[in-house]
Amino acid sequence: MNVLAATLVSLLLLAGLAAWALRRLLRSRNMQIWIGSYLRRRPRPVVAGPTHVMFCFVDHFEPMWKQADLPTQRARVDRWCRDYRALASRHRDADGRPPQHGFFYPEEEYLEEHLAKIEALCADGYGEIEIHLHHDNDTEDNFRTVMQRFCTLLHEKHGALSRHPQTGELMFGFIHGNWSLDNSRADGRWCGLDNELILLRELGCYADFTLPSAPSDTQTRTINAIYYATDDPHAPKSHDTGEPVRVGGTPSGDLMIVQGPLGLNWRERRLGLVPRIENADVRTGCPPTPDRVDAWVRTGIHVEGRPEWVFVKVHTHGTQEADIDTLLGAATDAMHTHLETAYNDGTNYVLHYVTAREVYNIVKAAEAGRSGNPDDYRDFVLPPPRASWAGRRARGAAA
């Protein structure tokens, strides 16, 4: 074999080895599911005038995490109710509102005293309560019973959840435990319902806020989008794809899916080479740095045809001790300061702190062709829960 042939063989072997290593790397983080969508992404259209940034923080709020005893649960909830008030009260968006926290509370962890404290925090204007659920090998009948009972309990005892103004139906936002919406885990664990999107719609779910779930294999091919998913009741993970919500469009499918940012973080590389996955998760190991905030905004998630309204939905598991200092301390304080400094100048950007329900309302306003200031549409379809109304009345009387 001459030198040229030997060199060519070596290069081919190296290329094959590199391709094998890349494939192995992608599959080790389940990136093969979504990396194609990420590489094919299109930039957000250029807009005239300011970009309105809707910032929504949703929390898989689990006081009983790791089967904690009651004193530990109480300490977790009490710290949130004390320290979040102090943190949020130092910040305001363009509309004069403090940061809004979405307490997606697990049905299977219900304890009245915990919800009563969170209810009071929300009534003071710091967020809203929605529904989180962990279940496994479930049945349709049991799922209906559990969800209907929990919706009624949250509304009647804790003033949570809105009633649809036309139908009177209780409406809720949803985050699936273990990321397994619509039975989406490859091994079939932590759900059991291939028709879960249909069931959620029928039970009053206005939108799902589970995603992104990378690096889990429950992550969808569709990324960085707000879309309608149509359920195949005989197959899992029907929300893998869907129809984007668009200005002037008609609602379709079974459930609106509201995703947070997902991409690659090249500024924080493993071993200096491999980019980390940016999945909008906030915790001590991935604090909400200004660079991450900038990346979330640049992702530009929006309703098609309304690129000047950008939605940034980030998530956390707020009761885990390793992360509470980050979530209620200097790192999150600095995150809000950066948001209010870099994205609230009134000329290039306008900042709006929003709840999950308000995200849905503003999305529906965009779909209906509304424009201008999104603050006008926080209650476009669904009114505030009863607890929020009580808090608004109290604050209005005090003013």
Side-chain angles (χ1 to χ4, degrees):
M1 183 181 295
N2 59 36
V3 173
L4 180 61
T7 300
L8 180 60
V9 169
S10 297
L11 290 174
L12 289 173
L13 287 173
L14 286 173
L17 181 61
W20 174 84
L22 177 60
R23 186 164 56 248
R24 184 178 177 86
L25 174 64
L26 292 176
R27 290 191 173 276
S28 71
R29 305 289 280 168
N30 291 306
M31 291 172 64
Q32 78 282 357
I33 296 170
W34 57 270
I35 195 64
S37 299
Y38 177 74
L39 295 174
R40 292 190 298 270
R41 70 195 186 281
R42 294 178 295 175
R44 182 171 63 100
V46 176
V47 302
T51 294
H52 292 265
V53 177
M54 268 61 68
F55 186 82
C56 178
F57 207 148
V58 301
D59 190 343
H60 308 214
F61 193 80
E62 302 166 2
M64 297 182 189
W65 181 68
K66 283 196 171 180
Q67 294 78 51
D69 59 22
L70 186 56
T72 301
Q73 297 172 37
R74 286 172 173 159
R76 292 167 173 173
V77 175
D78 289 345
R79 182 167 180 194
W80 263 94
C81 292
R82 179 186 69 244
D83 291 2
Y84 189 75
R85 269 191 183 85
L87 171 68
S89 66
R90 294 193 290 270
H91 296 278
R92 290 293 184 274
D93 66 6
D95 313 307
R97 298 184 79 210
Q100 298 293 298
H101 203 74
F103 294 93
F104 283 72
Y105 199 98
E107 181 278 335
E108 71 281 1
E109 295 190 14
Y110 176 76
L111 193 63
E112 182 177 351
E113 67 173 88
H114 297 340
L115 261 300
K117 294 170 182 176
I118 298 301
E119 173 192 352
L121 181 64
C122 293
D124 285 345
Y126 295 108
E128 293 180 3
I129 298 166
E130 300 288 358
I131 293 182
H132 188 33
L133 179 72
H134 301 84
H135 60 154
D136 191 18
N137 195 30
D138 209 349
T139 66
E140 180 175 329
D141 287 344
N142 182 71
F143 184 72
R144 286 184 183 277
T145 298
V146 166
M147 292 295 290
Q148 288 171 338
R149 182 178 63 227
F150 195 45
C151 284
T152 301
L153 178 65
L154 287 178
H155 183 70
E156 293 183 353
K157 189 171 286 292
H158 300 289
L161 310 186
S162 302
R163 286 199 182 275
H164 195 285
Q166 275 76 52
T167 67
E169 180 180 22
L170 285 176
M171 308 294 289
F172 62 92
F174 187 71
I175 290 177
H176 201 294
N178 306 109
W179 314 110
S180 303
L181 179 67
D182 202 44
N183 218 19
S184 53
R185 271 178 61 118
D187 63 5
R189 291 296 309 277
W190 306 118
C191 183
L193 301 170
D194 285 347
N195 62 336
E196 191 168 39
L197 303 185
I198 292 173
L199 294 175
L200 285 167
R201 171 179 55 79
E202 292 178 350
L203 289 164
C205 181
Y206 60 78
D208 177 83
F209 294 83
T210 303
L211 297 164
S213 61
S216 168
D217 62 1
T218 60
Q219 176 59 47
T220 54
R221 284 183 289 163
T222 301
I223 63 171
N224 299 326
I226 302 171
Y227 62 104
Y228 291 111
T230 299
D231 206 344
D232 178 347
H234 305 295
K237 206 178 187 180
S238 297
H239 57 297
D240 202 28
T241 59
E243 286 295 318
V245 181
R246 53 176 54 92
V247 173
T250 301
S252 62
D254 291 298
L255 193 62
M256 180 187 291
I257 308 294
V258 178
Q259 297 185 324
L262 176 62
L264 299 177
N265 183 343
W266 289 93
R267 291 180 177 270
E268 300 176 15
R269 288 170 286 185
R270 298 166 63 191
L271 304 176
L273 296 172
V274 181
R276 295 184 180 275
I277 295 174
E278 173 53 74
N279 61 2
D281 189 10
V282 177
R283 56 181 63 213
T284 298
C286 41
T289 62
D291 284 342
R292 291 189 73 200
V293 173
D294 295 343
W296 297 336
V297 176
R298 281 198 308 271
T299 301
I301 297 173
H302 63 278
V303 172
E304 288 195 0
R306 188 66 69 236
E308 69 271 26
W309 291 3
V310 168
F311 295 85
V312 175
K313 177 185 70 71
V314 300
H315 65 270
T316 193
H317 289 73
T319 62
Q320 299 181 15
E321 277 76 12
D323 301 318
I324 289 180
D325 286 343
T326 293
L327 296 167
L328 296 174
T332 299
D333 196 36
M335 176 192 75
H336 288 300
T337 297
H338 183 66
L339 280 164
E340 292 153 20
T341 302
Y343 298 104
N344 200 31
D345 61 1
T347 301
N348 297 306
Y349 293 98
V350 181
L351 176 67
H352 308 273
Y353 290 130
V354 292
T355 66
R357 178 189 60 84
E358 290 169 339
V359 166
Y360 170 76
N361 280 332
I362 294 169
V363 167
K364 294 299 286 184
E367 183 180 50
R370 302 295 198 275
S371 59
N373 186 356
D375 186 53
D376 296 335
Y377 308 113
R378 291 177 183 268
D379 304 330
F380 184 69
V381 176
L382 299 178
R386 190 173 71 245
S388 294
W389 275 121
R392 289 184 182 190
R393 287 197 299 271
R395 290 190 299 279

